[in-house]
Amino acid sequence: MVQSYVVYLGRNSHTSKPSTLGNDGMTESYYDLLGSCLKSKEKAKEAIFYSYTSHINGFAATLEDDEVDQLSNRPEVVSVFPNEVNQLHTTRSWEFLGLERNGQIPADSIWLKARFGEDVIIGNLDTGVWPESESFDDEGMGPVPTRWKGYCETNDGVKCNRKLIGARYFNKGYEAALGRPLDSSNNTARDTNGHGTHTLSTAGGRFVSGANFLGSAYGTAKGGSPNARVASYKVCWTGCYDADILAAFDAAIQDGVDILSLSLGRALEIPYFRSGIAIGSFQAVMNGILVVCSAGNSGQFLGFGTTSNVAPWVLTVAASTIDREFPSNVVLGNNKEFKGTSFNTNNLSSRKYYPIVYSVDAKVANASAQLAQICYPESLDPTKVRGKIVYCLGGMIPDVEKSLVVAQAGGVGMILADQPAETSSVPQGFFVPTSIVSAIDGLSVLSYIYSTKSPVAYISGSTEIGKVVAPLMASFSSTGPNEITPEILKPDITAPGVHILAASTKAPRRLSRLIDQRPLSFNIISGTSMSCPHVSGVAGLLKTMHPDWSPAAIKSAIMTTARTSSNARQPIAKASAAEATPFNYGSGHMRPNRAMDPGLVYDLTTTDYLNFLCSIGYNATQMSIFIEEPYDCPPKNISLLNFNYPSITVPNLSGNVTLTRTLKNVGTPGLYTVRVEKPDGILVKVEPESLKFSKLNEEKTFKVMLKAKDNWFISSYVFGGLTWSDGVHHVRSPIVVRKAVN
């Protein structure tokens, strides 16, 4: 059977500026290699649809099963893995993160210190970009940095400028997976989905005043690094395929990006040596590029161990809430009020009551009660609905489509009983004023309808700030533990990912009919896909301030300065109302202003990452996927527990264990002392208990001994923390421990 594969030959040892002749020579060598298996160089040229020649050494091709076997047995070939699919995983959020206050930027804001991320280059692997968005206006920006080597693919009217400096598309892997040629409409970097534009503008969009979604969340939209240059790499179509992702990584490294943001990943993780994201991001980090990825949105459905993008060289981001919500409440004629959600435009005339009818009682003659109950298309009788609020139940079709059915039948509003009481709905833009209430409250509304001769109601929507406890963990956010390497805590950090306003593409076709055919400039979405670019934007600010910091140092600064409490209590997981743990939020909720001066960082080099791979048992062949030159693992077994990560995780504690960490001073000289929050049932001893740093970049090593108490019988994970402080800086690492299972 013919399928598409990525054939990996190990890391390419090119310089940062490979010659065109060198690239052509490598492509020819790929043709020769595959041609020797296919017995025809011409067939090899037809089969290969990507040649990775900049920083990734290999190619992507369509192959038969026996051809895969032949290639796999060739000594030059390190790995052959299927071209599999990955899935796609604001006005208020930056104020919530402390970068501005009451519409003003305080003097201590990282925005001012970092000159709004001036001239840092942020690349985004996603669904493309809508270049006409105001978020990518280049007015007042200077020349593009000379280190930029990328370009703009101008198909479909795409134009770049001094802000949006690159826009490219990669669809050959998608085409190969489909097994048929794509039509020309797919040859574009333009975003027709909206996801890529949303994420890119959140990371690096410019200040845009008057931003709103249908009147809600009104304010000034902006990205984390408003003065950054941005580049879009379109790799997602109906999915995001490994071959396209690797091609984009290869291009982005060569183009000269500083930060790469990926709001995509797998539902279930696979070994690092088979993951396009893990391999591509390793090459990026080796070239000084920090890679930020979303953790995934499977927490509510698949539970623990669902975090995506768990490679330790990637900064993995979970989603939390901000202190803004969009209530759209129902007030009945008996003055009972029920809380719902929707958007500000979903207001009926203030304090004016309208008749309310249950959709089953307003069905057309030939419709079933079951279809009318959910407001299915063509199930409602206009003579019974016109001028009324319609009560519907959730299920089967999208909520927005139900509101369209009500609107087409002449209804003026909709009450949708849908949500379990302990969860919150995601507000949307509906065709009529709408309130989504809990299933329990819905029963109260239905009881009122049937117990009242002339039932009436009105719907009142608004945007409210500061009335909800935040940050709380989003129920959908994927959670740890890390299923690939449980000794590495994932996710790493959390950032706002709920109800985020950012640039969008055109309005959905059906919605545009009711908003005067105007393009929808901004949209509100939720997901770890929105948390990721928040961190990418802040990483851009840190890169501007500290251009000599390694990707690991930037990552550490963000992680060790995070906070783990919300109004003096731990964040609460909304899905179950249970206490959240580091498996939900990693090191905590990001604090950008603290991250710009972390005091100390846990730094890592390429050698550290290679030793990490040694410690998890990778052989020479698997190691060569990540580095071309032969790498000799240290003669002594390396303890994975000593990997210099900004968190401490021991998934199988038996008796006691001692591990080491090393801190680098990136601030002023000072004396740091340690404070420990002991996990339940665990004795923790740190030696030494103080570290004196006399100069910049000085490193100090300390040891942490963990021992289970004699009467400790807990078999689940327990959590604590370790903080080094000089009185000004607070460098915190979570501690996660589980007793060994006999």
Side-chain angles (χ1 to χ4, degrees):
M1 183 174 69
V2 176
Q3 293 188 61
S4 54
Y5 294 85
V6 174
V7 180
Y8 205 83
L9 307 178
R11 183 178 177 269
N12 194 345
S13 60
H14 290 320
T15 65
S16 60
K17 297 181 180 179
S19 68
T20 303
L21 180 62
N23 288 351
D24 289 345
M26 292 209 59
T27 299
E28 284 296 318
S29 71
Y30 301 154
Y31 294 153
D32 290 338
L33 171 62
L34 183 56
S36 66
C37 295
L38 303 183
K39 304 298 188 292
S40 169
K41 189 172 182 178
E42 291 306 312
K43 287 183 178 180
K45 290 181 178 180
E46 293 176 4
I48 293 176
F49 55 88
Y50 275 129
S51 292
Y52 308 125
T53 59
S54 294
H55 295 271
I56 295 171
N57 188 13
F59 58 89
T62 53
L63 302 169
E64 296 275 5
D65 293 345
D66 62 330
E67 295 164 354
V68 172
D69 293 338
Q70 289 184 58
L71 270 175
S72 299
N73 292 326
R74 295 294 295 265
E76 313 96 303
V77 175
V78 171
S79 176
V80 181
F81 56 88
N83 171 35
E84 294 180 327
V85 67
N86 297 263
Q87 299 299 328
L88 288 165
H89 290 162
T90 124
T91 52
R92 172 65 183 165
S93 56
W94 298 114
E95 181 166 352
F96 184 66
L97 289 171
L99 277 66
E100 55 185 340
R101 191 177 303 125
N102 298 323
Q104 303 296 316
I105 301 173
D108 61 349
S109 171
I110 190 175
W111 267 344
L112 293 180
K113 303 285 187 181
R115 304 184 307 280
F116 300 95
E118 184 176 271
D119 285 349
V120 71
I121 301 173
I122 300 176
N124 190 40
L125 273 62
D126 211 292
T127 64
V129 65
W130 195 262
E132 293 82 8
S133 169
E134 293 176 81
S135 296
F136 309 123
D137 192 323
D138 69 348
E139 182 178 358
M141 299 193 75
V144 175
T146 56
R147 70 181 187 282
W148 174 247
K149 305 303 178 186
Y151 59 92
C152 193
E153 293 180 310
T154 58
N155 302 14
D156 199 18
V158 171
K159 294 181 179 179
C160 292
N161 55 28
R162 291 170 297 180
K163 173 66 177 180
L164 177 64
I165 60 175
R168 300 174 64 174
Y169 66 90
F170 303 86
N171 60 13
K172 294 177 182 177
Y174 171 50
E175 183 178 62
L178 286 179
R180 56 176 174 80
L182 296 171
D183 62 48
S184 60
S185 66
N186 290 280
N187 295 330
T188 176
R190 183 175 292 280
D191 180 14
T192 56
N193 175 289
H195 193 273
T197 301
H198 217 88
T199 52
L200 185 58
S201 65
T202 301
R206 303 200 75 186
F207 286 83
V208 181
S209 61
N212 68 93
F213 176 67
L214 304 178
S216 288
Y218 191 91
T220 299
K222 78 286 293 185
S225 289
N227 283 353
R229 316 295 177 138
V230 295
S232 172
Y233 299 85
K234 184 174 181 177
V235 298
C236 297
W237 308 85
T238 57
C240 320
Y241 286 87
D242 279 331
D244 296 327
I245 291 169
L246 274 171
F249 266 116
D250 202 37
I253 296 168
Q254 181 63 20
D255 289 347
V257 303
D258 299 307
I259 308 291
L260 273 173
S261 187
L262 286 81
S263 292
L264 52 96
R266 295 173 181 268
L268 297 174
E269 281 293 275
I270 58 176
Y272 307 127
F273 63 84
R274 284 191 54 221
S275 166
I277 293 177
I279 294 169
S281 60
F282 190 96
Q283 307 307 321
V285 169
M286 285 185 67
N287 283 274
I289 301 167
L290 176 64
V291 181
V292 185
C293 294
S294 53
N297 304 323
S298 302
Q300 189 170 1
F301 305 104
L302 300 179
F304 292 104
T306 54
T307 297
S308 295
N309 302 314
V310 296
W313 46 87
V314 167
L315 179 51
T316 309
V317 189
S320 57
T321 64
I322 60 176
D323 59 346
R324 177 177 65 187
E325 63 178 353
F326 304 97
S328 185
N329 299 338
V330 175
V331 181
L332 303 179
N334 60 7
N335 290 322
K336 289 187 176 180
E337 183 172 352
F338 300 97
K339 183 177 180 180
T341 55
S342 191
F343 282 116
N344 193 36
T345 51
N346 292 325
N347 274 322
L348 286 169
S349 300
S350 180
R351 308 295 299 184
K352 180 179 179 179
Y353 287 91
Y354 292 83
I356 181 173
V357 62
Y358 183 25
S359 57
V360 173
D361 298 327
K363 72 181 187 69
V364 294
N366 61 348
S368 69
Q370 289 79 11
L371 291 180
Q373 188 179 48
I374 61 170
C375 292
Y376 196 80
E378 300 181 357
S379 67
L380 302 182
D381 186 342
T383 63
K384 299 175 182 178
V385 168
R386 190 170 293 112
K388 298 177 181 178
I389 297 173
V390 181
Y391 174 87
C392 308
L393 297 186
M396 197 169 185
I397 63 172
D399 295 345
V400 172
E401 189 166 350
K402 297 176 191 291
S403 72
L404 176 61
V405 173
V406 172
Q408 289 173 332
V412 297
M414 180 176 73
I415 299 170
L416 185 63
D418 194 29
Q419 293 299 121
E422 71 273 12
T423 65
S424 61
S425 63
V426 176
Q428 303 175 72
F430 293 95
F431 289 97
V432 293
T434 296
S435 178
I436 303 178
V437 300
S438 72
I440 293 174
D441 288 345
L443 291 176
S444 297
V445 174
L446 190 59
S447 175
Y448 165 75
I449 292 173
Y450 280 130
S451 64
T452 306
K453 184 177 180 180
S454 300
V456 293
Y458 74 85
I459 297 171
S460 177
S462 63
T463 299
E464 293 182 354
I465 293 174
K467 294 186 178 181
V468 293
V469 176
L472 305 179
M473 289 310 302
S475 59
F476 56 76
S477 187
S478 292
T479 66
N482 183 337
E483 291 292 287
I484 303 298
T485 317
E487 294 83 358
I488 304 297
L489 179 63
K490 290 287 182 173
D492 292 312
I493 197 77
T494 183
V498 179
H499 305 166
I500 306 301
L501 178 77
S504 185
T505 60
K506 293 185 296 185
R509 186 174 301 167
R510 289 182 302 175
L511 181 59
S512 68
R513 293 205 299 268
L514 295 187
I515 54 174
D516 304 325
Q517 302 288 335
R518 291 171 297 177
L520 188 61
S521 299
F522 290 85
N523 200 353
I524 289 183
I525 63 173
S526 298
T528 58
S529 58
M530 290 312 305
S531 305
C532 171
H534 276 86
V535 176
S536 301
V538 170
L541 298 173
L542 294 175
K543 184 67 175 179
T544 301
M545 292 186 67
H546 306 288
D548 58 330
W549 279 10
S550 69
I554 295 175
K555 177 178 177 178
S556 175
I558 292 172
M559 291 173 63
T560 60
T561 57
R563 63 169 170 161
T564 60
S565 63
S566 172
N567 288 3
R569 62 175 182 166
Q570 295 285 18
I572 303 299
K574 298 180 98 175
S576 62
E579 183 176 329
T581 73
F583 286 149
N584 300 103
Y585 55 74
S587 293
H589 193 73
M590 178 176 63
R591 290 192 287 187
N593 291 335
R594 295 286 185 93
M596 65 177 162
D597 181 22
L600 309 174
V601 296
Y602 295 88
D603 209 355
L604 289 162
T605 65
T606 298
T607 299
D608 293 315
Y609 291 126
L610 292 170
N611 287 342
F612 162 83
L613 296 174
C614 292
S615 70
I616 63 175
Y618 275 26
N619 58 34
T621 300
Q622 292 166 333
M623 294 290 290
S624 65
I625 293 175
F626 298 91
I627 186 166
E628 185 179 57
E629 301 82 6
Y631 185 76
D632 295 326
C633 291
K636 293 183 179 180
N637 290 333
I638 303 171
S639 172
L640 185 53
L641 298 178
N642 292 331
F643 184 62
N644 203 41
Y645 212 66
S647 58
I648 296 171
T649 307
V650 182
N652 292 290
L653 178 62
S654 179
N656 65 79
V657 66
T658 299
L659 49 85
T660 63
R661 290 290 188 274
T662 299
L663 284 162
K664 176 189 285 188
N665 178 35
V666 293
T668 55
L671 178 66
Y672 285 78
T673 56
V674 72
R675 183 179 74 254
V676 175
E677 308 156 49
K678 295 179 181 178
D680 186 31
I682 304 294
L683 297 172
V684 183
K685 184 178 181 181
V686 180
E687 293 183 347
E689 294 182 346
S690 63
L691 298 171
K692 185 176 182 179
F693 293 90
S694 303
K695 58 185 178 180
L696 190 65
N697 294 327
E698 184 179 7
E699 294 186 343
K700 298 281 185 178
T701 297
F702 64 93
K703 295 183 178 181
V704 181
M705 188 272 285
L706 302 173
K707 180 180 180 181
K709 294 180 180 178
D710 293 338
N711 61 348
W712 189 49
F713 299 106
I714 299 174
S715 59
S716 60
Y717 280 97
V718 289
F719 308 95
L722 178 155
T723 304
W724 291 96
S725 178
D726 63 352
V728 176
H729 307 94
H730 303 276
V731 187
R732 186 183 185 278
S733 296
I735 298 175
V736 179
V737 184
R738 185 180 63 177
K739 185 178 180 180
V741 179
N742 295 326

